[in-house]
Amino acid sequence: MTTTKHDKALIFELSQPGRVGYALPDCDVPELEIDSLIPTSLQRSQPAELPEVYEVDVIRHYTALSRRNFGIDNGFYPLGSCTMKYNPKINEDVARYAGFAKIHPYQPESSVQGALELLYSLQQDLQEVTGMDEVTLQPAAGAHGEWTGLMMIRAYHESRGEHRTKVIVPDSAHGTNPASATVAGFDTITIKSNDKGLVDLEALRADVGPDTAALMLTNPNTLGLFEEQIVEIAAIVHEAGGLLYYDGANANAIMGITRPGDMGFDVVHLNLHKTMSTPHGGGGPGAGPVGVKSKLAPFLPSPIIGRKADGTYYLQDIPQSIGRVKGYFGNFGILVRAYTYIRTYGGEGLRQVSENAVLNANYMLRRLAPHFDVPFDRACKHEFVLSGNRQKKWGVRTLDMAKRLLDFGYHPPTIYFPLNVEECIMIEPTETESKETLDAFIDTLIQITQEAEQNPELLLNAPYTTDVSRLDEALAARKPVLNCSCG
Ligand SMILES: *Cc1c(COP(=O)(O)O)cnc(C)c1O
């Protein structure tokens, strides 16, 4: 793609005094005296500094910006632990129905029964998928769901007169787990994984005790490996009086096959913006509903959506609630998209989604295994990790290979996560990609390993085709240069 100097200019740099991008008819209602509406102290003394440009300049500005972004609609995006699956456009159509898009959260319940029914049905569907007894749709992200779940766990222990202060997290956990535990007021205990990449039962036994509030775990774990001893793990934690929290941000491996509730978990959050195909990236909006077993239901964020005997839907108050965690009903438009997805597939379809996600990941793992170090060489679930240790000996790090992928138009996989694998590369293809797409990416990655061996210098300076090449990432975050006078 070529961009001209003009395309690159910021809208403010194009501004010319007196230029306007709109035409309004003359005002035909009496103008109100401004001082009667806004106190003089709050009135602007100088006109707002707005760019003065034509409409076409505004359109080109935003279109140019949107093209510099990379999303699932541009290309393959195998970002491990992020489930960048295709977002079906039917979800968008349904979210735009006037009955969903043009209602207001303060409308009387009787006038939004359809919307409430959708929320209620989504609660039910997510209970079914997770094996939980109740669900709240309020949390707006995975991390928000984690915090909500942990606050319920805290309330549960306190209601029993127990002061439990510790949350156990395996070293492969997503960074939000210890962060949420800290924000919820717990101390985090990290336990090491064993050499199979799984929870070390001896380490777990040594760490659980009367101060254990919960174990936070995901299964399959963030290495894409199934914790085969999950029933035993659950028993160890429960016997000590702790609860089990399931990080279900990525449920793509398990839908219709197994359920956190059946594995012994008490609380689970799902990321609808991962597993249920609602858009993500760019900071949201997301949705991180939380499901709980009935012993935690008294503490759910209030209200949830209830159904009366006469079939009408209402906002059900929760007396011992931890309180509201989000305004109104959560991110309603996102919930509509997720519901559309679930209903489009149905139960059997969701199972197929998971089977294909796991099949795609294993196909990629097997084709890539000869070219990389494979820290845990066994069947994976929806994602897998490779290590760039072999390439490191040639002077090329995982970061360099990831940067090189940009030259071929791919979003790189997750790198350097999970933390317990050196030079980690974590790939999650998802079920929505064709074999041809997977093969093309695999071939590219293999080509890059050959470049690493034969011409490491090439990788050290990649990428070559992007607007900017290597950034000082710390500086870019702390002192961003947001205009394009850089050319
Ligand atoms: C993405 C993810 C999260 C966090 O979800 P957000 O919506 O980004 O807050 C937590 N755990 C795992 C395993 C994840 O992949």
Side-chain angles (χ1 to χ4, degrees):
M1 179 189 54
T2 53
T3 44
T4 63
K5 180 91 183 152
H6 182 273
D7 286 337
K8 286 191 162 199
L10 266 195
I11 201 82
F12 279 95
E13 295 160 357
L14 292 176
S15 184
Q16 293 294 331
R19 206 165 261 181
V20 284
Y22 63 89
L24 291 179
D26 288 340
C27 185
D28 62 355
V29 290
E31 279 189 45
L32 289 166
E33 185 47 50
I34 186 86
D35 291 348
S36 69
L37 296 171
I38 302 172
T40 38
S41 65
L42 295 180
Q43 285 178 30
R44 196 185 270 295
S45 57
Q46 300 285 329
E49 264 187 63
L50 297 174
E52 297 175 75
V53 290
Y54 295 132
E55 180 173 319
V56 67
D57 296 318
V58 177
I59 294 298
R60 286 188 186 143
H61 171 70
Y62 284 109
T63 306
L65 286 182
S66 76
R67 283 197 201 150
R68 267 189 244 167
N69 215 342
F70 189 92
I72 194 67
D73 290 352
N74 301 67
F76 186 45
Y77 204 144
L79 194 63
S81 197
C82 289
T83 317
M84 304 302 291
K85 62 167 74 177
Y86 174 63
N87 309 147
K89 298 307 166 230
I90 188 176
N91 298 354
E92 301 299 319
D93 287 353
V94 175
R96 283 166 178 73
Y97 288 174
F100 295 136
K102 299 242 156 77
I103 54 177
H104 193 279
Y106 280 144
Q107 268 178 245
E109 278 169 22
S110 62
S111 70
V112 289
Q113 282 293 305
L116 293 179
E117 179 175 356
L118 180 143
L119 295 174
Y120 179 83
S121 306
L122 180 59
Q123 288 175 185
Q124 302 263 303
D125 288 352
L126 298 180
Q127 284 167 29
E128 179 69 27
V129 169
T130 56
M132 293 286 147
D133 299 319
E134 296 286 351
V135 163
T136 169
L137 301 173
Q138 281 182 30
H144 193 192
E146 289 168 22
W147 175 82
T148 303
L150 288 165
M151 292 304 280
M152 284 190 263
I153 288 175
R154 163 183 285 276
Y156 168 82
H157 290 309
E158 278 171 10
S159 75
R160 295 156 50 94
E162 290 185 5
H163 187 59
R164 292 174 173 260
T165 54
K166 298 205 166 112
V167 169
I168 302 174
V169 175
D171 59 0
S172 61
H174 195 271
T176 50
N177 292 187
S180 301
T182 304
V183 176
F186 293 105
D187 298 327
T188 306
I189 309 284
T190 306
I191 47 163
K192 274 202 169 312
S193 307
N194 63 20
D195 56 6
K196 288 186 186 153
L198 303 176
V199 170
D200 187 324
L201 290 197
E202 285 319 306
L204 180 65
R205 277 202 191 89
D207 277 331
V208 293
D211 55 0
T212 303
L215 169 70
M216 290 183 93
L217 203 65
T218 181
N219 196 18
N221 66 22
T222 39
L223 299 165
L225 305 175
F226 194 78
E227 299 278 357
E228 288 149 2
Q229 291 178 297
I230 186 59
V231 174
E232 214 171 329
I233 292 171
I236 292 171
V237 176
H238 281 151
E239 273 160 28
L243 296 178
L244 273 97
Y245 184 99
Y246 187 95
D247 177 345
N250 325 88
N252 230 26
I254 61 161
M255 288 187 293
I257 299 167
T258 182
R259 310 190 300 173
D262 302 336
M263 297 181 211
F265 286 89
D266 305 290
V267 190
V268 52
H269 85 265
L270 294 175
N271 278 18
L272 301 188
H273 47 289
K274 290 179 182 167
T275 312
M276 301 306 177
S277 84
T278 71
H280 71 138
V290 176
V292 292
K293 288 277 177 69
S294 50
K295 61 178 173 246
L296 285 148
F299 312 105
L300 281 164
S302 210
I304 57 170
I305 312 301
R307 186 170 188 268
K308 293 185 189 153
D310 67 0
T312 55
Y313 299 91
Y314 71 109
L315 301 185
Q316 183 184 333
D317 225 23
I318 310 284
Q320 284 174 271
S321 172
I322 59 163
R324 208 180 240 293
V325 301
K326 172 95 175 70
Y328 307 115
F329 304 91
N331 280 325
F332 180 69
I334 293 299
L335 301 174
V336 174
R337 287 170 175 82
Y339 185 70
T340 306
Y341 178 77
I342 292 170
R343 287 288 148 161
T344 305
Y345 277 93
E348 266 309 304
L350 290 182
R351 185 185 170 105
Q352 264 174 34
V353 163
S354 286
E355 286 175 352
N356 286 336
V358 171
L359 181 64
N360 281 359
N362 278 285
Y363 175 71
M364 290 189 80
L365 172 58
R366 293 281 48 102
R367 274 208 61 201
L368 287 167
H371 304 275
F372 289 89
D373 286 0
V374 182
F376 308 104
D377 199 1
R378 48 176 273 212
C380 64
K381 294 299 174 222
H382 60 300
E383 61 193 2
F384 59 95
V385 295
L386 304 171
S387 163
N389 267 347
R390 188 183 307 174
Q391 288 75 19
K392 197 174 174 185
K393 296 192 194 95
W394 304 327
V396 167
R397 299 192 60 209
T398 286
L399 176 74
D400 305 312
M401 291 190 277
K403 292 289 184 195
R404 183 67 175 139
L405 273 170
L406 297 171
D407 286 331
F408 296 93
Y410 290 112
H411 193 290
T414 299
I415 56 174
Y416 300 106
F417 173 81
L419 304 176
N420 56 339
V421 172
E422 274 178 53
E423 294 298 319
C424 189
I425 305 170
M426 184 193 209
I427 297 178
E428 180 181 7
T430 83
E431 74 287 359
T432 58
E433 303 296 336
S434 68
K435 180 168 179 294
E436 290 73 20
T437 300
L438 302 184
D439 280 330
F441 178 81
I442 293 165
D443 293 342
T444 304
L445 207 47
I446 293 172
Q447 180 188 327
I448 290 173
T449 62
Q450 288 159 356
E451 290 174 354
E453 190 167 10
Q454 291 153 15
N455 185 7
E457 200 66 20
L458 178 71
L459 270 62
L460 298 182
N461 296 315
Y464 301 94
T465 57
T466 50
D467 276 350
V468 285
S469 187
R470 297 268 175 135
L471 299 174
D472 178 332
E473 287 171 13
L475 210 59
R478 295 211 179 104
K479 289 194 180 156
V481 180
L482 296 177
N483 69 37
C484 288
S485 47
C486 45

